[in-house]
Amino acid sequence: MNETNDALLIAAQQGDKAALSFLCEEFTPLIYASVKHYPGRYKEREDLLQEGFISFIEAVLTFDRRRGVYFAHYAKERVRQGIYSSVRKTETTIRRHEGSLPEDWEAFITDAGGSNTSFDDALWMVEWQDILACLSARERQYVNMVLCTGYTVREVAELSEVGVETVKTWKKRTVKKLRKEIQEIL
């Protein structure tokens, strides 16, 4: 890294927005090159670019030259890790949706006597209705948000306006209750 970029890096770390903007422009090709490794739809590419720029800004703010690492190498690794993490999170969310309950699972479960359902479907709905009846409203909300929507514990906490530990408690209680109900059936 040349002396000009080193001065810009120091200025950006001290809060100079113009210096940060200039560094972002200078390292834009690096970010685009990192995103190219993940071909996908245009919207996904924009998301990955955004993640790349966020990771780059974090790299600028957390870089410590006393560690003996070149900034360009550090930034490249942080950008690659940020983009990779975003891709993995998206893939995990997609996998969670595969094979999950229907989006309107509560209505599906409570409408066991519908005329368009087969006997097996009605039996399945009644069983799930009985199993989920043991849960509190918050625990049913947790199941809905995690299984049907694919939210993480942190996202459930943010949307429910409670702490992450509270949602983890919901999860523990839900798993315990569902395990007990399913064991009774078997």
Side-chain angles (χ1 to χ4, degrees):
M1 190 166 171
N2 62 32
E3 292 176 18
T4 306
N5 285 346
D6 197 31
L8 285 170
L9 180 62
I10 293 169
Q13 288 177 333
Q14 294 174 347
D16 185 353
K17 291 180 182 178
L20 182 61
S21 177
F22 185 81
L23 284 172
C24 284
E25 287 178 23
E26 187 170 315
F27 282 87
T28 295
L30 168 89
I31 296 167
Y32 273 87
S34 297
V35 170
K36 271 200 240 179
H37 294 288
Y38 302 99
R41 295 188 310 255
Y42 186 72
K43 182 180 179 187
E44 292 170 353
R45 183 173 179 199
E46 287 179 349
D47 291 342
L48 292 179
L49 285 171
Q50 182 178 9
E51 189 63 43
F53 279 106
I54 290 170
S55 298
F56 177 77
I57 292 170
E58 289 173 353
V60 169
L61 298 176
T62 60
F63 178 70
D64 184 5
R65 69 186 47 73
R66 292 175 289 174
R67 294 191 179 238
V69 177
Y70 291 109
F71 173 71
H73 177 71
Y74 179 75
K76 179 180 179 180
E77 289 303 312
R78 287 295 300 258
V79 167
R80 288 178 62 213
Q81 288 174 359
I83 292 170
Y84 177 74
S85 293
S86 178
V87 168
R88 293 283 296 176
K89 183 177 179 181
T90 302
E91 288 174 352
T92 301
T93 302
I94 290 169
R95 270 187 264 125
R96 283 184 186 158
H97 285 294
E98 293 174 355
S100 64
L101 295 173
E103 194 165 312
D104 58 342
W105 67 274
E106 283 185 312
F108 184 69
I109 290 169
T110 56
D111 184 27
S115 59
N116 294 333
T117 59
S118 69
F119 177 75
D120 289 337
D121 290 340
L123 184 61
W124 181 84
M125 289 184 289
V126 168
E127 286 176 357
W128 273 107
Q129 183 178 9
D130 290 343
I131 291 170
L132 295 175
C134 71
L135 302 177
S136 69
R138 288 290 194 167
E139 292 163 346
R140 283 193 302 273
Q141 175 186 354
Y142 169 79
V143 170
N144 186 26
M145 293 178 88
V146 171
L147 291 181
C148 299
T149 317
Y151 289 124
T152 64
V153 170
R154 183 174 308 277
E155 292 168 335
V156 172
E158 290 172 4
L159 292 170
S160 301
E161 297 178 352
V162 296
V164 173
E165 292 303 317
T166 301
V167 176
K168 287 181 180 179
T169 302
W170 295 347
K171 178 181 178 181
K172 288 176 191 173
R173 289 179 183 165
T174 301
V175 169
K176 185 177 179 180
K177 288 179 180 179
L178 290 177
R179 187 174 288 143
K180 180 181 174 187
E181 288 293 317
I182 291 171
Q183 285 176 349
E184 287 178 8
I185 292 172
L186 298 176

